[in-house]
Amino acid sequence: MAFFLRPKRPVMLHAFARSRRNPVRHSVAQIGKWRLIWAEYVGWRLSPRQAPPDQALQRALPVLLAELALLDDAALDARIANSRPKAEAIRTPQGFAAFAEALEVMRRATGFALRQNQIACAASLLAGECVELRTGEGKTLAAGLAAVVAARAGVSGHVVTVNDYLAQRDHDLMAPIAARFGLTTAVLLQEMGDDARLAA
């Protein structure tokens, strides 16, 4: 029930090794009724406000997208091949071109131009924040944008969804986009055996 984006070149990541033999287990204390009521109705209003989404990214994208729209497919592919963002620079002005290139490839592949809230969602996900979008607001493309930009920078990603149908649908939508950036993808479904899961 997930599809993966992985750079073709191996990238060493310092991550905690997890497997079926070495699972990560956390014990979570029960939350009482009054604490839930406090958190639901009062606590979130008193918590400090999060910083607004990347205003610099939102200002820079129209100029970059207008420039990319003038390129034909061969020129766009050549530009993509000659640029690879660094993970630490994704959310800086040097990394804004990676967002613009991913948005332009998505527009050409799907016919959809992502909205401001979807772009802000992708930027927030790359900042390690939790984001909520309502039904129909385009979670697939927003999460796909974040996954593609991160994978281009050498950070493999897992995009997890609630059922096999959505996982397969989202994978089929994002796989051609990822392939254009030289990324490999795989989808993990419930009926797959262990060998197929390991291959994915």
Side-chain angles (χ1 to χ4, degrees), residues 20-100:
R20 290 182 184 175
R21 294 190 189 100
N22 184 24
V24 176
R25 291 190 175 93
H26 297 286
S27 59
V28 179
Q30 282 191 329
I31 299 176
K33 176 182 174 184
W34 295 110
R35 186 169 173 194
L36 279 174
I37 291 172
W38 169 265
E40 180 72 21
Y41 296 105
V42 180
W44 67 271
R45 295 172 196 239
L46 301 177
S47 64
R49 298 285 180 200
Q50 296 293 325
D54 295 63
Q55 300 296 329
L57 174 63
Q58 300 283 5
R59 286 192 302 269
L61 279 178
V63 176
L64 293 168
L65 289 172
E67 180 185 319
L68 291 173
L70 300 175
L71 301 177
D72 61 0
D73 286 344
L76 180 61
D77 288 339
R79 181 167 172 162
I80 289 169
N82 293 327
S83 67
R84 182 173 176 188
K86 294 183 178 179
E88 60 273 10
I90 287 177
R91 298 178 68 244
T92 66
Q94 293 80 22
F96 292 168
F99 274 94

Side-chain angles (χ1 to χ4, degrees), residues 141-194:
L141 292 175
L145 172 62
V148 166
V149 172
R152 285 193 67 204
V155 181
S156 298
H158 298 183
V159 180
V160 183
T161 189
V162 294
N163 61 44
D164 283 358
Y165 166 75
L166 291 176
Q168 186 68 60
R169 183 200 70 181
D170 295 352
H171 175 261
D172 293 344
L173 177 68
M174 294 304 300
I177 297 167
R180 192 159 183 181
F181 288 107
L183 304 170
T184 58
T185 61
V187 64
L188 186 63
L189 304 174
Q190 286 185 7
E191 71 268 8
M192 293 169 64
D194 285 344

